[in-house]
Short mmCIF file of all heavy atoms in Angstrom, two decimals:
data_model
loop_
_atom_site.label_atom_id
_atom_site.label_comp_id
_atom_site.label_asym_id
_atom_site.label_seq_id
_atom_site.Cartn_x
_atom_site.Cartn_y
_atom_site.Cartn_z
N MET A 1 -22.26 -35.59 20.91
CA MET A 1 -21.36 -36.37 20.11
C MET A 1 -19.94 -35.94 20.41
O MET A 1 -19.55 -34.81 20.16
CB MET A 1 -21.71 -36.15 18.64
CG MET A 1 -20.99 -37.05 17.73
SD MET A 1 -21.75 -36.84 16.10
CE MET A 1 -20.95 -38.13 15.31
N ASP A 2 -19.14 -36.83 20.96
CA ASP A 2 -17.78 -36.53 21.39
C ASP A 2 -16.79 -36.93 20.30
O ASP A 2 -16.85 -38.04 19.78
CB ASP A 2 -17.50 -37.28 22.69
CG ASP A 2 -16.23 -36.79 23.35
OD1 ASP A 2 -15.77 -35.69 22.98
OD2 ASP A 2 -15.73 -37.49 24.24
N ASN A 3 -15.88 -36.05 19.98
CA ASN A 3 -14.90 -36.30 18.93
C ASN A 3 -13.58 -36.67 19.58
O ASN A 3 -12.82 -35.82 19.99
CB ASN A 3 -14.76 -35.07 18.05
CG ASN A 3 -13.91 -35.34 16.82
OD1 ASN A 3 -13.46 -36.45 16.61
ND2 ASN A 3 -13.70 -34.31 16.03
N ASN A 4 -13.29 -37.98 19.70
CA ASN A 4 -12.06 -38.46 20.34
C ASN A 4 -11.04 -38.96 19.33
O ASN A 4 -10.19 -39.77 19.65
CB ASN A 4 -12.38 -39.58 21.33
CG ASN A 4 -13.15 -39.05 22.53
OD1 ASN A 4 -12.94 -37.93 22.92
ND2 ASN A 4 -14.01 -39.87 23.09
N ILE A 5 -11.13 -38.49 18.10
CA ILE A 5 -10.21 -38.94 17.06
C ILE A 5 -8.91 -38.16 17.22
O ILE A 5 -8.89 -36.93 17.33
CB ILE A 5 -10.80 -38.70 15.66
CG1 ILE A 5 -12.11 -39.47 15.52
CG2 ILE A 5 -9.82 -39.08 14.58
CD1 ILE A 5 -12.86 -39.16 14.24
N ALA A 6 -7.79 -38.89 17.23
CA ALA A 6 -6.48 -38.25 17.36
C ALA A 6 -6.15 -37.53 16.05
O ALA A 6 -6.44 -38.05 14.98
CB ALA A 6 -5.42 -39.29 17.68
N PRO A 7 -5.54 -36.36 16.12
CA PRO A 7 -5.19 -35.64 14.89
C PRO A 7 -4.10 -36.38 14.12
O PRO A 7 -3.29 -37.10 14.68
CB PRO A 7 -4.69 -34.29 15.39
CG PRO A 7 -4.32 -34.50 16.80
CD PRO A 7 -5.17 -35.62 17.31
N ALA A 8 -4.10 -36.19 12.83
CA ALA A 8 -3.10 -36.81 11.97
C ALA A 8 -1.74 -36.19 12.24
O ALA A 8 -1.65 -35.04 12.68
CB ALA A 8 -3.50 -36.60 10.52
N PRO A 9 -0.66 -36.93 12.01
CA PRO A 9 0.68 -36.36 12.22
C PRO A 9 0.87 -35.13 11.32
O PRO A 9 0.51 -35.12 10.16
CB PRO A 9 1.62 -37.49 11.78
CG PRO A 9 0.80 -38.73 11.85
CD PRO A 9 -0.61 -38.33 11.61
N GLY A 10 1.42 -34.08 11.89
CA GLY A 10 1.63 -32.85 11.16
C GLY A 10 0.43 -31.94 11.15
O GLY A 10 0.46 -30.85 10.62
N HIS A 11 -0.68 -32.36 11.76
CA HIS A 11 -1.91 -31.56 11.78
C HIS A 11 -1.81 -30.51 12.89
O HIS A 11 -1.41 -30.82 14.00
CB HIS A 11 -3.11 -32.47 12.04
CG HIS A 11 -4.40 -31.72 12.23
ND1 HIS A 11 -5.09 -31.20 11.18
CD2 HIS A 11 -5.09 -31.42 13.35
CE1 HIS A 11 -6.17 -30.60 11.64
NE2 HIS A 11 -6.19 -30.73 12.96
N ILE A 12 -2.18 -29.30 12.55
CA ILE A 12 -2.20 -28.22 13.54
C ILE A 12 -3.64 -27.80 13.72
O ILE A 12 -4.31 -27.40 12.77
CB ILE A 12 -1.36 -27.02 13.09
CG1 ILE A 12 0.10 -27.44 12.91
CG2 ILE A 12 -1.47 -25.87 14.08
CD1 ILE A 12 0.96 -26.36 12.31
N ASP A 13 -4.14 -27.91 14.94
CA ASP A 13 -5.52 -27.54 15.22
C ASP A 13 -5.54 -26.09 15.67
O ASP A 13 -5.09 -25.76 16.77
CB ASP A 13 -6.11 -28.45 16.29
CG ASP A 13 -7.61 -28.28 16.43
OD1 ASP A 13 -8.19 -27.52 15.64
OD2 ASP A 13 -8.19 -28.91 17.33
N LEU A 14 -6.05 -25.21 14.81
CA LEU A 14 -6.05 -23.78 15.11
C LEU A 14 -7.08 -23.39 16.15
O LEU A 14 -6.97 -22.36 16.77
CB LEU A 14 -6.26 -22.98 13.83
CG LEU A 14 -5.17 -23.13 12.77
CD1 LEU A 14 -5.54 -22.35 11.53
CD2 LEU A 14 -3.83 -22.68 13.30
N GLN A 15 -8.08 -24.22 16.35
CA GLN A 15 -9.11 -23.89 17.33
C GLN A 15 -8.60 -24.04 18.75
O GLN A 15 -9.11 -23.43 19.66
CB GLN A 15 -10.34 -24.75 17.11
CG GLN A 15 -11.06 -24.41 15.84
CD GLN A 15 -12.30 -25.25 15.64
OE1 GLN A 15 -12.54 -26.20 16.38
NE2 GLN A 15 -13.09 -24.88 14.65
N ASP A 16 -7.57 -24.86 18.95
CA ASP A 16 -7.03 -25.05 20.29
C ASP A 16 -5.79 -24.20 20.52
O ASP A 16 -5.02 -24.44 21.43
CB ASP A 16 -6.67 -26.52 20.50
CG ASP A 16 -7.90 -27.40 20.55
OD1 ASP A 16 -8.98 -26.87 20.90
OD2 ASP A 16 -7.79 -28.60 20.23
N SER A 17 -5.58 -23.17 19.68
CA SER A 17 -4.39 -22.33 19.84
C SER A 17 -4.50 -21.50 21.10
O SER A 17 -5.58 -21.21 21.60
CB SER A 17 -4.21 -21.43 18.62
OG SER A 17 -5.29 -20.54 18.52
N ILE A 18 -3.36 -21.09 21.58
CA ILE A 18 -3.30 -20.29 22.82
C ILE A 18 -3.61 -18.85 22.48
O ILE A 18 -3.08 -18.28 21.54
CB ILE A 18 -1.90 -20.40 23.45
CG1 ILE A 18 -1.60 -21.86 23.80
CG2 ILE A 18 -1.78 -19.51 24.66
CD1 ILE A 18 -0.19 -22.09 24.24
N GLU A 19 -4.48 -18.23 23.25
CA GLU A 19 -4.84 -16.83 23.06
C GLU A 19 -3.72 -15.94 23.58
O GLU A 19 -3.09 -16.25 24.58
CB GLU A 19 -6.14 -16.50 23.82
CG GLU A 19 -7.36 -17.19 23.26
CD GLU A 19 -7.76 -16.63 21.91
OE1 GLU A 19 -7.64 -15.41 21.71
OE2 GLU A 19 -8.18 -17.42 21.06
N PRO A 20 -3.44 -14.80 22.92
CA PRO A 20 -2.42 -13.88 23.42
C PRO A 20 -2.90 -13.22 24.72
O PRO A 20 -4.10 -13.21 25.01
CB PRO A 20 -2.29 -12.85 22.30
CG PRO A 20 -3.55 -12.94 21.53
CD PRO A 20 -4.05 -14.35 21.70
N PRO A 21 -1.98 -12.67 25.49
CA PRO A 21 -2.39 -11.97 26.73
C PRO A 21 -3.38 -10.86 26.42
O PRO A 21 -3.41 -10.31 25.32
CB PRO A 21 -1.08 -11.41 27.27
CG PRO A 21 -0.01 -12.21 26.61
CD PRO A 21 -0.55 -12.68 25.31
N SER A 22 -4.18 -10.50 27.40
CA SER A 22 -5.27 -9.55 27.18
C SER A 22 -4.77 -8.16 26.79
O SER A 22 -5.47 -7.42 26.13
CB SER A 22 -6.15 -9.46 28.42
OG SER A 22 -5.38 -8.98 29.50
N GLY A 23 -3.58 -7.77 27.17
CA GLY A 23 -3.07 -6.45 26.85
C GLY A 23 -2.46 -6.35 25.46
O GLY A 23 -2.15 -5.27 24.99
N VAL A 24 -2.29 -7.47 24.79
CA VAL A 24 -1.66 -7.49 23.47
C VAL A 24 -2.73 -7.36 22.40
O VAL A 24 -3.74 -8.04 22.43
CB VAL A 24 -0.87 -8.81 23.26
CG1 VAL A 24 -0.30 -8.87 21.86
CG2 VAL A 24 0.22 -8.93 24.29
N LEU A 25 -2.50 -6.45 21.46
CA LEU A 25 -3.45 -6.28 20.37
C LEU A 25 -3.15 -7.30 19.28
O LEU A 25 -2.07 -7.32 18.71
CB LEU A 25 -3.36 -4.87 19.79
CG LEU A 25 -3.75 -3.74 20.72
CD1 LEU A 25 -3.51 -2.41 20.04
CD2 LEU A 25 -5.21 -3.87 21.11
N ASN A 26 -4.09 -8.17 19.01
CA ASN A 26 -3.92 -9.13 17.94
C ASN A 26 -4.82 -8.77 16.76
O ASN A 26 -4.98 -9.53 15.84
CB ASN A 26 -4.23 -10.55 18.41
CG ASN A 26 -5.65 -10.69 18.90
OD1 ASN A 26 -6.38 -9.72 19.00
ND2 ASN A 26 -6.05 -11.91 19.21
N ASP A 27 -5.39 -7.59 16.82
CA ASP A 27 -6.34 -7.14 15.83
C ASP A 27 -5.68 -6.07 14.96
O ASP A 27 -5.08 -5.14 15.47
CB ASP A 27 -7.57 -6.56 16.54
CG ASP A 27 -8.70 -6.24 15.61
OD1 ASP A 27 -8.60 -6.58 14.42
OD2 ASP A 27 -9.68 -5.64 16.07
N GLU A 28 -5.77 -6.21 13.65
CA GLU A 28 -5.17 -5.22 12.74
C GLU A 28 -6.24 -4.34 12.13
O GLU A 28 -6.05 -3.79 11.04
CB GLU A 28 -4.38 -5.93 11.66
CG GLU A 28 -3.16 -6.63 12.19
CD GLU A 28 -2.30 -7.19 11.09
OE1 GLU A 28 -2.51 -6.84 9.92
OE2 GLU A 28 -1.42 -7.99 11.41
N GLU A 29 -7.33 -4.16 12.81
CA GLU A 29 -8.42 -3.33 12.31
C GLU A 29 -7.95 -1.89 12.18
O GLU A 29 -7.37 -1.32 13.08
CB GLU A 29 -9.61 -3.40 13.27
CG GLU A 29 -10.84 -2.70 12.77
CD GLU A 29 -12.01 -2.88 13.72
OE1 GLU A 29 -12.09 -3.94 14.35
OE2 GLU A 29 -12.79 -1.95 13.82
N GLY A 30 -8.16 -1.30 11.03
CA GLY A 30 -7.77 0.07 10.78
C GLY A 30 -6.40 0.21 10.15
O GLY A 30 -6.03 1.29 9.72
N SER A 31 -5.63 -0.88 10.08
CA SER A 31 -4.28 -0.77 9.50
C SER A 31 -4.35 -0.50 8.00
O SER A 31 -3.52 0.23 7.47
CB SER A 31 -3.47 -2.03 9.78
OG SER A 31 -4.06 -3.14 9.15
N THR A 32 -5.34 -1.04 7.33
CA THR A 32 -5.48 -0.80 5.90
C THR A 32 -5.80 0.67 5.65
O THR A 32 -5.26 1.29 4.72
CB THR A 32 -6.59 -1.69 5.31
OG1 THR A 32 -6.27 -3.04 5.59
CG2 THR A 32 -6.72 -1.50 3.82
N THR A 33 -6.64 1.25 6.47
CA THR A 33 -6.98 2.66 6.32
C THR A 33 -5.76 3.54 6.56
O THR A 33 -5.54 4.51 5.84
CB THR A 33 -8.11 3.03 7.31
OG1 THR A 33 -9.21 2.15 7.08
CG2 THR A 33 -8.56 4.46 7.12
N ALA A 34 -4.96 3.20 7.55
CA ALA A 34 -3.76 3.97 7.84
C ALA A 34 -2.75 3.86 6.69
O ALA A 34 -2.15 4.86 6.29
CB ALA A 34 -3.12 3.49 9.14
N GLU A 35 -2.59 2.66 6.16
CA GLU A 35 -1.68 2.48 5.03
C GLU A 35 -2.17 3.26 3.82
O GLU A 35 -1.39 3.88 3.10
CB GLU A 35 -1.55 1.00 4.68
CG GLU A 35 -0.83 0.21 5.75
CD GLU A 35 -0.99 -1.28 5.58
OE1 GLU A 35 -1.64 -1.72 4.61
OE2 GLU A 35 -0.45 -2.02 6.42
N PHE A 36 -3.48 3.24 3.58
CA PHE A 36 -4.06 3.99 2.47
C PHE A 36 -3.80 5.49 2.64
O PHE A 36 -3.46 6.19 1.70
CB PHE A 36 -5.56 3.71 2.38
CG PHE A 36 -6.24 4.43 1.25
CD1 PHE A 36 -6.07 4.03 -0.06
CD2 PHE A 36 -7.06 5.52 1.51
CE1 PHE A 36 -6.70 4.69 -1.09
CE2 PHE A 36 -7.69 6.19 0.48
CZ PHE A 36 -7.51 5.78 -0.82
N ALA A 37 -3.95 5.99 3.86
CA ALA A 37 -3.72 7.42 4.12
C ALA A 37 -2.26 7.79 3.88
O ALA A 37 -1.97 8.84 3.29
CB ALA A 37 -4.13 7.75 5.55
N ILE A 38 -1.33 6.95 4.29
CA ILE A 38 0.09 7.24 4.11
C ILE A 38 0.45 7.24 2.62
O ILE A 38 1.16 8.13 2.14
CB ILE A 38 0.95 6.22 4.89
CG1 ILE A 38 0.79 6.46 6.38
CG2 ILE A 38 2.42 6.31 4.47
CD1 ILE A 38 1.39 5.38 7.25
N VAL A 39 -0.07 6.25 1.89
CA VAL A 39 0.21 6.20 0.45
C VAL A 39 -0.41 7.39 -0.26
O VAL A 39 0.19 7.98 -1.17
CB VAL A 39 -0.30 4.87 -0.15
CG1 VAL A 39 -0.27 4.88 -1.66
CG2 VAL A 39 0.53 3.71 0.39
N THR A 40 -1.60 7.80 0.15
CA THR A 40 -2.25 8.97 -0.45
C THR A 40 -1.44 10.23 -0.20
O THR A 40 -1.25 11.05 -1.10
CB THR A 40 -3.68 9.12 0.09
OG1 THR A 40 -4.40 7.92 -0.17
CG2 THR A 40 -4.39 10.29 -0.56
N LEU A 41 -0.97 10.40 1.02
CA LEU A 41 -0.14 11.58 1.34
C LEU A 41 1.16 11.57 0.54
O LEU A 41 1.59 12.62 0.04
CB LEU A 41 0.18 11.62 2.83
CG LEU A 41 -0.98 12.02 3.74
CD1 LEU A 41 -0.57 11.90 5.20
CD2 LEU A 41 -1.42 13.43 3.44
N ALA A 42 1.77 10.42 0.37
CA ALA A 42 2.99 10.33 -0.42
C ALA A 42 2.71 10.67 -1.88
O ALA A 42 3.50 11.37 -2.52
CB ALA A 42 3.59 8.93 -0.30
N ALA A 43 1.58 10.21 -2.41
CA ALA A 43 1.22 10.50 -3.80
C ALA A 43 0.97 11.99 -3.99
O ALA A 43 1.38 12.58 -5.00
CB ALA A 43 0.00 9.69 -4.21
N VAL A 44 0.31 12.62 -3.03
CA VAL A 44 0.04 14.06 -3.12
C VAL A 44 1.35 14.86 -3.04
O VAL A 44 1.55 15.82 -3.78
CB VAL A 44 -0.95 14.49 -2.01
CG1 VAL A 44 -1.03 16.00 -1.89
CG2 VAL A 44 -2.32 13.91 -2.28
N ALA A 45 2.25 14.43 -2.17
CA ALA A 45 3.54 15.11 -2.06
C ALA A 45 4.33 14.97 -3.36
O ALA A 45 4.95 15.94 -3.84
CB ALA A 45 4.34 14.55 -0.89
N PHE A 46 4.31 13.79 -3.94
CA PHE A 46 5.02 13.56 -5.21
C PHE A 46 4.39 14.39 -6.33
O PHE A 46 5.11 14.98 -7.15
CB PHE A 46 4.99 12.07 -5.56
CG PHE A 46 5.78 11.73 -6.78
CD1 PHE A 46 7.16 11.84 -6.79
CD2 PHE A 46 5.14 11.30 -7.93
CE1 PHE A 46 7.90 11.52 -7.92
CE2 PHE A 46 5.87 10.98 -9.06
CZ PHE A 46 7.25 11.09 -9.06
N ALA A 47 3.08 14.47 -6.36
CA ALA A 47 2.39 15.28 -7.38
C ALA A 47 2.75 16.76 -7.21
O ALA A 47 2.98 17.47 -8.20
CB ALA A 47 0.89 15.08 -7.30
N GLY A 48 2.80 17.23 -5.98
CA GLY A 48 3.19 18.62 -5.73
C GLY A 48 4.60 18.90 -6.17
O GLY A 48 4.89 19.96 -6.74
N LEU A 49 5.49 17.95 -5.94
CA LEU A 49 6.87 18.10 -6.38
C LEU A 49 6.95 18.16 -7.90
O LEU A 49 7.65 19.00 -8.47
CB LEU A 49 7.71 16.95 -5.84
CG LEU A 49 9.19 16.94 -6.22
CD1 LEU A 49 9.90 18.13 -5.59
CD2 LEU A 49 9.83 15.64 -5.77
N LEU A 50 6.21 17.28 -8.57
CA LEU A 50 6.19 17.30 -10.04
C LEU A 50 5.64 18.61 -10.59
O LEU A 50 6.18 19.15 -11.55
CB LEU A 50 5.37 16.13 -10.57
CG LEU A 50 6.05 14.77 -10.57
CD1 LEU A 50 5.08 13.71 -11.06
CD2 LEU A 50 7.30 14.78 -11.39
N VAL A 51 4.59 19.12 -9.98
CA VAL A 51 4.00 20.38 -10.43
C VAL A 51 5.01 21.51 -10.27
O VAL A 51 5.17 22.35 -11.17
CB VAL A 51 2.69 20.68 -9.67
CG1 VAL A 51 2.25 22.12 -9.87
CG2 VAL A 51 1.60 19.73 -10.11
N SER A 52 5.70 21.54 -9.13
CA SER A 52 6.66 22.62 -8.92
C SER A 52 7.84 22.51 -9.89
O SER A 52 8.35 23.52 -10.37
CB SER A 52 7.15 22.63 -7.48
OG SER A 52 7.89 21.47 -7.20
N ILE A 53 8.27 21.31 -10.20
CA ILE A 53 9.38 21.13 -11.15
C ILE A 53 8.95 21.49 -12.56
O ILE A 53 9.64 22.21 -13.28
CB ILE A 53 9.92 19.69 -11.08
CG1 ILE A 53 10.66 19.46 -9.77
CG2 ILE A 53 10.84 19.40 -12.26
CD1 ILE A 53 11.06 18.03 -9.54
N LEU A 54 7.78 20.97 -12.96
CA LEU A 54 7.32 21.19 -14.32
C LEU A 54 6.88 22.62 -14.59
O LEU A 54 6.82 23.04 -15.74
CB LEU A 54 6.19 20.22 -14.67
CG LEU A 54 6.60 18.74 -14.72
CD1 LEU A 54 5.38 17.88 -14.99
CD2 LEU A 54 7.67 18.51 -15.76
N SER A 55 6.55 23.37 -13.56
CA SER A 55 6.12 24.75 -13.77
C SER A 55 7.29 25.74 -13.74
O SER A 55 7.09 26.93 -13.96
CB SER A 55 5.06 25.15 -12.75
OG SER A 55 5.61 25.10 -11.45
N SER A 56 8.49 25.26 -13.47
CA SER A 56 9.65 26.17 -13.50
C SER A 56 9.95 26.56 -14.94
O SER A 56 9.63 25.85 -15.88
CB SER A 56 10.87 25.50 -12.85
OG SER A 56 11.34 24.46 -13.67
N GLY A 57 10.55 27.71 -15.12
CA GLY A 57 10.79 28.27 -16.45
C GLY A 57 11.66 27.41 -17.34
O GLY A 57 11.37 27.21 -18.53
N ASP A 58 12.74 26.87 -16.79
CA ASP A 58 13.66 26.07 -17.60
C ASP A 58 13.00 24.79 -18.11
O ASP A 58 13.12 24.44 -19.29
CB ASP A 58 14.91 25.70 -16.78
CG ASP A 58 15.74 26.92 -16.43
OD1 ASP A 58 15.65 27.92 -17.15
OD2 ASP A 58 16.46 26.84 -15.41
N VAL A 59 12.33 24.10 -17.24
CA VAL A 59 11.68 22.85 -17.62
C VAL A 59 10.53 23.12 -18.58
O VAL A 59 10.32 22.38 -19.55
CB VAL A 59 11.20 22.07 -16.37
CG1 VAL A 59 10.44 20.82 -16.75
CG2 VAL A 59 12.38 21.71 -15.48
N ARG A 60 9.80 24.19 -18.32
CA ARG A 60 8.69 24.55 -19.21
C ARG A 60 9.20 24.81 -20.63
O ARG A 60 8.63 24.35 -21.62
CB ARG A 60 7.93 25.75 -18.67
CG ARG A 60 6.80 26.19 -19.59
CD ARG A 60 6.05 27.33 -19.01
NE ARG A 60 4.95 26.77 -18.24
CZ ARG A 60 4.18 27.46 -17.42
NH1 ARG A 60 4.41 28.73 -17.22
NH2 ARG A 60 3.20 26.89 -16.79
N GLY A 61 10.31 25.55 -20.75
CA GLY A 61 10.90 25.82 -22.05
C GLY A 61 11.38 24.55 -22.73
O GLY A 61 11.19 24.36 -23.94
N LEU A 62 11.97 23.65 -21.97
CA LEU A 62 12.43 22.38 -22.52
C LEU A 62 11.25 21.55 -23.03
O LEU A 62 11.31 21.00 -24.13
CB LEU A 62 13.21 21.60 -21.45
CG LEU A 62 13.73 20.23 -21.85
CD1 LEU A 62 14.83 20.36 -22.88
CD2 LEU A 62 14.23 19.50 -20.62
N LEU A 63 10.19 21.48 -22.24
CA LEU A 63 9.00 20.72 -22.66
C LEU A 63 8.34 21.33 -23.89
O LEU A 63 7.91 20.61 -24.80
CB LEU A 63 8.00 20.62 -21.51
CG LEU A 63 8.41 19.71 -20.35
CD1 LEU A 63 7.38 19.80 -19.22
CD2 LEU A 63 8.58 18.29 -20.80
N MET A 64 8.25 22.66 -23.93
CA MET A 64 7.65 23.31 -25.09
C MET A 64 8.50 23.06 -26.34
O MET A 64 7.97 22.87 -27.43
CB MET A 64 7.48 24.81 -24.84
CG MET A 64 6.40 25.14 -23.82
SD MET A 64 4.80 24.48 -24.25
CE MET A 64 4.36 25.54 -25.62
N GLY A 65 9.82 23.06 -26.19
CA GLY A 65 10.70 22.75 -27.31
C GLY A 65 10.49 21.32 -27.82
O GLY A 65 10.45 21.08 -29.03
N LEU A 66 10.33 20.38 -26.89
CA LEU A 66 10.06 18.99 -27.29
C LEU A 66 8.73 18.87 -28.00
O LEU A 66 8.62 18.14 -29.00
CB LEU A 66 10.10 18.08 -26.06
CG LEU A 66 11.47 17.79 -25.43
CD1 LEU A 66 11.30 17.03 -24.14
CD2 LEU A 66 12.32 17.02 -26.42
N ILE A 67 7.73 19.57 -27.51
CA ILE A 67 6.39 19.50 -28.12
C ILE A 67 6.44 20.11 -29.52
O ILE A 67 5.89 19.57 -30.48
CB ILE A 67 5.35 20.19 -27.22
CG1 ILE A 67 5.14 19.38 -25.96
CG2 ILE A 67 4.03 20.36 -27.96
CD1 ILE A 67 4.32 20.05 -24.89
N ARG A 68 7.10 21.25 -29.64
CA ARG A 68 7.21 21.90 -30.97
C ARG A 68 7.95 21.00 -31.96
O ARG A 68 7.55 20.89 -33.12
CB ARG A 68 7.93 23.24 -30.84
CG ARG A 68 7.07 24.33 -30.27
CD ARG A 68 7.74 25.70 -30.37
NE ARG A 68 6.94 26.66 -29.66
CZ ARG A 68 7.32 27.28 -28.55
NH1 ARG A 68 8.51 27.05 -28.03
NH2 ARG A 68 6.52 28.15 -27.96
N GLN A 69 9.01 20.37 -31.49
CA GLN A 69 9.78 19.49 -32.36
C GLN A 69 8.95 18.26 -32.76
O GLN A 69 8.98 17.84 -33.90
CB GLN A 69 11.05 19.03 -31.65
CG GLN A 69 11.95 18.18 -32.51
CD GLN A 69 13.21 17.74 -31.77
OE1 GLN A 69 13.37 18.03 -30.59
NE2 GLN A 69 14.11 17.06 -32.46
N ALA A 70 8.18 17.72 -31.84
CA ALA A 70 7.35 16.55 -32.16
C ALA A 70 6.24 16.92 -33.14
O ALA A 70 5.87 16.11 -33.99
CB ALA A 70 6.75 15.99 -30.87
N LEU A 71 5.68 18.14 -33.02
CA LEU A 71 4.59 18.54 -33.90
C LEU A 71 5.08 19.00 -35.27
O LEU A 71 4.29 19.08 -36.21
CB LEU A 71 3.77 19.65 -33.23
CG LEU A 71 2.98 19.24 -32.00
CD1 LEU A 71 2.29 20.44 -31.38
CD2 LEU A 71 1.98 18.14 -32.32
N SER A 72 6.38 19.27 -35.38
CA SER A 72 6.89 19.77 -36.67
C SER A 72 7.14 18.66 -37.68
O SER A 72 7.39 18.94 -38.84
CB SER A 72 8.17 20.57 -36.44
OG SER A 72 9.21 19.71 -36.02
N PHE A 73 7.08 17.41 -37.29
CA PHE A 73 7.32 16.30 -38.22
C PHE A 73 6.18 16.09 -39.15
O PHE A 73 5.11 16.27 -39.07
CB PHE A 73 7.61 15.00 -37.46
CG PHE A 73 8.97 14.97 -36.87
CD1 PHE A 73 9.16 14.91 -35.50
CD2 PHE A 73 10.11 14.99 -37.68
CE1 PHE A 73 10.41 14.87 -34.95
CE2 PHE A 73 11.36 14.94 -37.14
CZ PHE A 73 11.52 14.87 -35.77
#
């Protein structure tokens, strides 16, 4: 069965698209995993920074003062 129907105006037939050259990667396989790894590393670095800031003496005293004030009401 031969399909000789002309496409409608403005129709783009994706099956007849031109393939990229063989040396060009058109596949994004693994990009999600790489993005997940980068975001995870950034989150761990941010958590480490927060731990180091919050465990310092000045900040610890400030937080304890806030907690004591909140519990005294």
